[in-house]
């Protein structure tokens, strides 16, 4: 794959390294993703960006793109969809970020932060770094920032830092998670976003119990829509079967 060869060699040369590139497509993709993941935010050539963008857009099409226009709501303007959030074509997707807001630096890690930064492109880390440099301190839990989505099929990525649950769930944890959802909804509205997809914030390595998190998510979104009259479409995106079942129980289909 000439395109991935170019990208790999460019990123290796930045690091003053060389390696034999395997002819195996899977191995090449793993190596390239790893190099994306560990790259610090810095300048890059326009040629690299053009080739990277062509490569990532092709990869995103290959994975398959799901358009919100083809989904059916389970309740008024509220959707439930199981799949890879990086393949959703909608106004904005929500990234469960860490407080540094720079994405996941662990090569090929399975977290959503890693996937979003990988398939958006290296521009996303650059933008997040600029935001953090201007801010001058780590992102507080429960707030949100918005960036372009670059090579993802959505228009924006909204980054929020969820609470980390220590040993047992507290009222503060619940309030902070609620704040994540509210902050994302508000910043989406401010930027004219017509549809937003939420991942299951804080339920992975951050340790928030799944059912309690889902209850907060659904309750917060519904109350926000009633209080503000918002017509924004909201997708609850799940990956695990267990989360799908929880949300189905919390949001039975209309007329079901």
């Amino acid at each position: 794959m000439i395109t991935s060869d170019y990208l790999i060699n460019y990123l290796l040369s930045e690091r003053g390294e060389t390696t034999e590139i395997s002819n195996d497509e899977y191995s090449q993709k793993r190596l390239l993703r790893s190099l994306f993941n560990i790259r610090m935010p810095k300048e890059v050539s326009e040629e690299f960006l053009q080739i990277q963008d062509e490569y990532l857009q092709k990869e995103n099409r290959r994975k398959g793109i799901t358009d919100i226009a083809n989904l059916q709501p389970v309740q008024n303007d509220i959707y439930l969809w199981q799949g890879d959030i990086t393949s959703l074509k909608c106004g904005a997707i929500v990234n469960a970020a860490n407080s540094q807001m720079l994405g996941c630096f662990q090569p090929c890690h399975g977290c959503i932060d890693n996937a979003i930064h990988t398939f958006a492109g290296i521009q996303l880390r650059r933008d997040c770094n600029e935001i953090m440099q201007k801010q001058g301190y780590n992102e507080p839990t429960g707030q949100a920032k918005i960036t372009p989505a670059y090579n993802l099929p959505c228009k924006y990525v909204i980054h929020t830092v969820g609470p980390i649950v220590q040993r047992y769930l507290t009222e503060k944890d619940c309030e902070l998670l609620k704040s994540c959802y509210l902050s994302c909804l508000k910043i989406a509205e401010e930027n004219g976003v017509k549809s937003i997809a939420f991942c299951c914030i804080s339920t992975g390595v951050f340790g928030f119990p799944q059912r309690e998190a889902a209850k907060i998510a659904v309750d917060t979104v519904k109350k926000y829509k009633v209080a503000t009259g918002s017509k924004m479409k909201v997708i609850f995106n799940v990956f695990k079967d267990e989360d799908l079942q929880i949300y189905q129980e919390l949001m039975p289909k209309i007329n079901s």
Side-chain angles (χ1 to χ4, degrees), residues 161-224:
V161 181
I164 300 174
V165 176
Q166 305 284 356
R167 296 198 303 176
Y168 56 87
L169 188 64
T170 67
E171 185 63 33
K172 182 178 180 181
D173 294 328
C174 295
E175 287 300 316
L176 286 170
L177 185 60
K178 177 181 177 180
S179 179
C180 287
Y181 283 92
L182 287 174
S183 296
C184 290
L185 291 166
K186 289 174 182 177
I187 202 169
E189 297 274 19
E190 290 167 2
N191 286 271
V193 173
K194 303 301 182 184
S195 57
I196 183 173
F198 283 103
C199 61
C200 300
I201 302 168
S202 278
T203 59
V205 296
F206 281 16
F208 209 107
Q210 292 159 267
R211 184 170 294 276
E212 286 76 6
K215 288 179 181 177
I216 291 169
V218 172
D219 185 61
T220 303
V221 166
K222 286 187 173 183
K223 286 182 178 178
Y224 174 86

Side-chain angles (χ1 to χ4, degrees), residues 33 36-41 95-109 111-129 132 139 147 157 159-161 206:
R33 179 168 182 167
F36 281 151
N37 295 158
I38 63 176
R39 185 182 188 272
M40 297 300 293
N95 179 29
N98 58 47
S99 60
Q100 288 76 41
M101 285 276 287
L102 294 181
C104 172
F105 282 86
Q106 184 174 335
C108 298
H109 190 251
C111 69
I112 189 172
D113 200 14
N114 187 293
I116 287 174
H117 275 267
T118 295
F119 294 105
I122 62 173
Q123 300 98 313
L124 188 59
R125 181 169 283 169
R126 176 200 63 196
D127 282 8
C128 288
N129 182 61
M132 297 307 289
E139 182 71 359
T147 63
V157 178
H159 311 260
T160 190
V161 181
F206 281 16

Side-chain angles (χ1 to χ4, degrees), residues 15-122:
R15 300 172 57 82
E17 299 175 1
T18 58
T19 189
E20 183 176 344
I21 301 174
S22 170
N23 291 324
D24 176 65
E25 183 177 350
Y26 175 77
S27 299
Q28 285 190 20
K29 288 181 177 180
R30 293 278 295 181
L31 175 57
L32 180 55
R33 179 168 182 167
S34 297
L35 290 168
F36 281 151
N37 295 158
I38 63 176
R39 185 182 188 272
M40 297 300 293
K42 55 186 174 182
E43 293 300 316
V44 70
S45 74
E46 287 300 319
E47 181 183 27
F48 177 90
L49 288 179
Q50 180 181 348
I51 293 174
Q52 175 214 241
D53 291 353
E54 291 174 357
Y55 170 82
L56 289 175
Q57 289 165 24
K58 181 179 178 181
E59 283 297 298
N60 287 329
R61 289 193 300 270
R62 183 192 61 78
K63 289 192 302 178
I65 294 172
T66 298
D67 194 322
I68 187 175
N70 297 322
L71 299 180
Q72 293 297 318
V74 293
Q75 297 184 1
N76 293 332
D77 290 334
I78 296 179
Y79 300 72
L80 176 60
W81 182 74
Q82 184 179 29
D84 177 1
I85 200 169
T86 66
S87 68
L88 267 177
K89 184 178 181 181
C90 59
I93 62 172
V94 172
N95 179 29
N98 58 47
S99 60
Q100 288 76 41
M101 285 276 287
L102 294 181
C104 172
F105 282 86
Q106 184 174 335
C108 298
H109 190 251
C111 69
I112 189 172
D113 200 14
N114 187 293
I116 287 174
H117 275 267
T118 295
F119 294 105
I122 62 173

Side-chain angles (χ1 to χ4, degrees), residues 226-240:
V226 170
T228 64
S230 173
K231 301 299 182 183
M232 184 162 48
K233 299 180 187 298
V234 177
I235 305 169
F236 290 110
N237 164 246
V238 298
F239 192 75
K240 299 176 181 177

